[in-house]
Amino acid sequence: MLSKDEEKKISSAVIKRLPRYYRYLGELLENDIERISSKELSVRMDVTASQIRQDLNNFGGFGQQGYGYNVEYLYNEISKILGLEKTYNIIIVGAGNLGQALANYIDFEKSGFVVKGLFDVNPKIVGISVRGLEIQDIDNMEMYVKNKHIDIAVLTLPKQKAPKIANDLAEWGIKGIWNFAPTDLQLKDKSVTIENVHLSESLMTLSYRIKDRV
Amino acid sequence: MLSKDEEKKISSAVIKRLPRYYRYLGELLENDIERISSKELSVRMDVTASQIRQDLNNFGGFGQQGYGYNVEYLYNEISKILGLEKTYNIIIVGAGNLGQALANYIDFEKSGFVVKGLFDVNPKIVGISVRGLEIQDIDNMEMYVKNKHIDIAVLTLPKQKAPKIANDLAEWGIKGIWNFAPTDLQLKDKSVTIENVHLSESLMTLSYRIKDRV
DNA sequence: TGAAATTTGACAGATATTTCACAAAAGACT
DNA sequence: AGTCTTTTGTGAAATATCTGTCAAATTTCA
Ligand SMILES: NC(=O)c1ccc[n+]([C@@H]2O[C@H](COP(=O)([O-])OP(=O)(O)OC[C@H]3O[C@@H](n4cnc5c(N)ncnc54)[C@H](O)[C@@H]3O)[C@@H](O)[C@H]2O)c1
Ligand SMILES: NC(=O)c1ccc[n+]([C@@H]2O[C@H](COP(=O)([O-])OP(=O)(O)OC[C@H]3O[C@@H](n4cnc5c(N)ncnc54)[C@H](O)[C@@H]3O)[C@@H](O)[C@H]2O)c1
């Protein structure tokens, strides 16, 4: 058996596709579909059957020849692979437009991401309640993160403030940062995982692809 | 010269990197940095210099041997490539949490994306003003899109409603759809460009990458 | 039960993407 | 002006990713 460090490295292309499989399987499950072949799933998802089988085989043989994949079993396996069987405690840093929108989104909880706190510097909004959570002053954040086992911080604050806050959070033991500020965070502490969401960049690729320009 | 259809196809990997170059160049510009070599940019961006040169060369030789790239010139060229020298008229469909957050985000305008209208079915919020724009009833949308030269629609409504609305919008002449609903839109009309933003999937890849699971 | 149909997992071949390496052009310096 | 240094653009090599194919396992159907 391969030791932890020798385990086959899963390519990030594969990882990025897993949540999509998970979503489609969830829909199949809702529709009481018990099994599915890579062929049929490939039609629904508009990818090749070969890719589906190859992707899944990175993690083990979940299917059965002549039968296909059991939807519920595969759904649960992917859930485990993605780490969704755990619960993650989340805080949102920057309780402005985007921070509040994310805080109000209940579907994250279905996947195990539970918003435990909201923080902001603006005294005008500190104390306001968002989905049952009072926005707290940023000065409380250190104690809060250290005491409440916060796993993930969502950064929805101005890009100038993001690097400092990210570093602090890393020091206080956070595991992951979901960053919406338009900057690429780089931490000394490489044990902290960063996922950048650059919405403006997504919109720009859309504008690139709009043919016969406006 | 190659005709339109024969033009070298730019890979989507390259396209997705362009906005990032654009962002870094914008920052250099703000710092009055006049020129930059691929080598130095590669250090700042943490990619290889070779990749930068290769990417840019898909669109033309913007640099000069022994000198590097002129920041302002390159910034403007990438702006043109991305189609940002134009103004895009945008509407937001579904003026809930996320729709309002996006409507309030002024930075989109700096890149030429101007929010012209907000639409919703909920009579309780129709009429409410968001950044100077009244939320309109969805029934007004057809006339509005047809008369006001709307280029892009942002879909921030429930996933069940998204496919129908997307089809309508396509029929009414929209060019692009920026979809936040957790579903993959597929339109008959292939001339409409769709950019999906699946935030939950982004969060799931973060959870995958968090080592020493919680 | 046995033959036909289905479908996976694996691997090899085909594409795509990234990196390397270097000639040639231009700048910098004396 | 001439030499040395920098740095691009490019083609080729190295990687990475995706697709096609098929034996083997299993199901389906008569
Ligand atoms: N809203 C969008 O649609 C959108 C789109 C793309 C990117 N973003 C990015 O997301 C981030 C948030 O955007 P927004 O629209 O919600 O902005 P916003 O101004 O509505 O909210 C930002 C919040 O951060 C708070 N803040 C400022 N400094 C802070 C600090 N040091 N600690 C804690 N909180 C602090 C502010 O008080 C404010 O409440 C920004 O970086 C923005 O560029 C937003
Ligand atoms: N808020 C988030 O953080 C977040 C994260 C990931 C995905 N999303 C997705 O983005 C979409 C919007 O999320 P939200 O949090 O803003 O939800 P929301 O419920 O706050 O807003 C949705 C809005 O759409 C309106 N609506 C419903 N049917 C409509 C129709 N047929 N035409 C026009 N408007 C209609 C509703 O009245 C509501 O105002 C959803 O699909 C959601 O799954 C949101």
Side-chain angles (χ1 to χ4, degrees), chain A residues 98-108 178 180, chain B residues 92-102 119-123 125 135-139 141 155-162 164-165 179-183 197-201:
Chain A
L98 194 53
Q100 292 197 27
L102 293 169
N104 275 308
Y105 191 59
I106 51 175
D107 281 13
F108 290 139
W178 200 27
F180 286 80
Chain B
I92 294 176
V93 190
N97 288 296
L98 194 53
Q100 293 197 26
L102 293 168
F119 296 89
D120 207 291
V121 277
N122 185 348
I125 64 171
I135 297 171
Q136 300 180 58
D137 189 283
I138 191 84
D139 291 339
M141 192 161 70
L155 299 194
T156 44
L157 40 67
K159 69 167 190 278
Q160 294 79 6
K161 318 287 165 140
K164 160 100 172 65
I165 298 268
N179 173 48
F180 286 80
T183 184
V197 180
H198 292 319
L199 293 178
S200 295
E201 298 185 9

Side-chain angles (χ1 to χ4, degrees), chain A residues 17-203:
Chain A
R17 284 193 292 268
L18 289 178
R20 188 157 179 263
Y21 294 132
Y22 185 71
R23 175 159 53 86
Y24 275 83
L25 289 164
E27 284 173 10
L28 292 173
L29 212 49
E30 277 173 19
N31 290 103
D32 297 313
I33 294 169
E34 226 172 68
R35 61 146 136 168
I36 188 120
S37 68
S38 60
K39 180 77 193 337
E40 198 192 330
L41 190 55
S42 81
V43 172
R44 291 176 185 251
M45 295 187 65
D46 197 24
V47 295
T48 64
S50 187
Q51 177 161 81
I52 294 173
R53 294 202 299 276
Q54 180 117 309
D55 282 352
L56 297 177
N57 262 84
N58 281 291
F59 305 96
F62 301 132
Q64 193 160 40
Q65 283 135 321
Y67 174 89
Y69 299 87
N70 178 282
V71 172
E72 188 172 2
Y73 174 68
L74 184 56
Y75 180 80
N76 289 329
E77 286 301 311
I78 296 181
S79 170
K80 280 187 223 164
I81 293 165
L82 287 170
L84 305 180
E85 83 289 9
K86 314 270 177 45
T87 294
Y88 296 90
N89 291 331
I90 292 193
I91 57 168
I92 294 175
V93 190
N97 288 297
L98 194 53
Q100 292 197 27
L102 293 169
N104 275 308
Y105 191 59
I106 51 175
D107 281 13
F108 290 139
E109 257 171 49
K110 292 188 194 153
S111 314
F113 303 98
V114 183
V115 179
K116 291 283 187 179
L118 282 150
F119 296 89
D120 207 292
V121 277
N122 184 350
K124 285 188 190 143
I125 64 171
V126 168
I128 288 177
S129 203
V130 178
R131 206 151 70 87
L133 283 175
E134 271 193 12
I135 297 172
Q136 301 181 58
D137 190 281
I138 191 85
D139 290 339
N140 298 341
M141 194 163 66
E142 179 169 0
M143 286 304 291
Y144 199 89
V145 167
K146 286 179 172 171
N147 293 333
K148 304 270 178 156
H149 301 98
I150 302 301
D151 307 299
I152 295 172
V154 183
L155 300 193
T156 44
L157 39 68
K159 69 166 190 278
Q160 294 80 4
K161 318 288 165 135
K164 159 100 172 65
I165 298 267
N167 259 310
D168 288 348
L169 289 164
E171 228 165 73
W172 303 337
I174 215 106
K175 294 284 192 308
I177 291 178
W178 200 27
N179 172 50
F180 286 80
T183 185
D184 300 315
L185 296 176
Q186 305 211 5
L187 296 181
K188 284 160 254 162
D189 184 345
K190 297 302 177 195
S191 71
V192 177
T193 303
I194 296 175
E195 170 81 7
N196 290 301
V197 181
H198 292 319
L199 294 178
S200 295
E201 299 186 9
S202 160
L203 185 52

Side-chain angles (χ1 to χ4, degrees), chain B residues 1-208:
Chain B
M1 189 200 156
L2 296 168
S3 80
K4 179 89 185 175
D5 286 346
E6 291 162 333
E7 269 168 29
K8 178 151 50 74
K9 175 84 169 59
I10 308 294
S11 85
S12 89
V14 173
I15 297 167
K16 276 191 275 203
R17 283 193 293 268
L18 289 177
R20 188 156 178 263
Y21 294 131
Y22 184 71
R23 173 158 55 84
Y24 275 82
L25 289 164
E27 282 173 11
L28 292 172
L29 212 49
E30 276 173 20
N31 289 104
D32 297 314
I33 294 170
E34 224 171 70
R35 61 146 136 166
I36 188 117
S37 68
S38 60
K39 181 75 195 337
E40 200 192 329
L41 190 56
S42 82
V43 173
R44 292 175 183 251
M45 295 187 63
D46 196 24
V47 295
T48 65
S50 184
Q51 178 161 81
I52 293 173
R53 295 203 297 277
Q54 183 104 299
D55 281 353
L56 297 177
N57 261 84
N58 281 293
F59 305 98
F62 302 131
Q64 194 159 41
Q65 281 134 324
Y67 174 88
Y69 298 86
N70 177 283
V71 173
E72 189 172 2
Y73 174 69
L74 184 56
Y75 180 81
N76 288 329
E77 286 301 313
I78 296 183
S79 170
K80 280 187 223 162
I81 293 165
L82 288 170
L84 305 179
E85 82 290 8
K86 313 269 174 52
T87 293
Y88 296 90
N89 291 332
I90 292 194
I91 58 169
I92 294 176
V93 190
N97 288 296
L98 194 53
Q100 293 197 26
L102 293 168
N104 276 307
Y105 191 57
I106 51 176
D107 280 13
F108 290 139
E109 257 170 48
K110 292 188 193 150
S111 313
F113 302 98
V114 183
V115 179
K116 292 283 186 177
L118 283 151
F119 296 89
D120 207 291
V121 277
N122 185 348
K124 285 187 190 142
I125 64 171
V126 168
I128 289 176
S129 203
V130 178
R131 206 151 70 87
L133 283 175
E134 270 193 12
I135 297 171
Q136 300 180 58
D137 189 283
I138 191 84
D139 291 339
N140 298 341
M141 192 161 70
E142 178 169 0
M143 285 305 289
Y144 199 89
V145 167
K146 286 180 173 170
N147 293 335
K148 303 271 179 155
H149 300 99
I150 301 302
D151 306 301
I152 296 172
V154 182
L155 299 194
T156 44
L157 40 67
K159 69 167 190 278
Q160 294 79 6
K161 318 287 165 140
K164 160 100 172 65
I165 298 268
N167 259 309
D168 288 348
L169 288 164
E171 227 164 76
W172 303 336
I174 215 107
K175 293 283 193 307
I177 291 178
W178 201 26
N179 173 48
F180 286 80
T183 184
D184 300 315
L185 295 177
Q186 305 210 6
L187 297 181
K188 284 160 253 161
D189 184 346
K190 297 301 175 194
S191 71
V192 177
T193 303
I194 296 174
E195 171 81 6
N196 290 301
V197 180
H198 292 319
L199 293 178
S200 295
E201 298 185 9
S202 161
L203 185 53
M204 288 179 191
T205 64
L206 174 60
S207 110
Y208 174 88

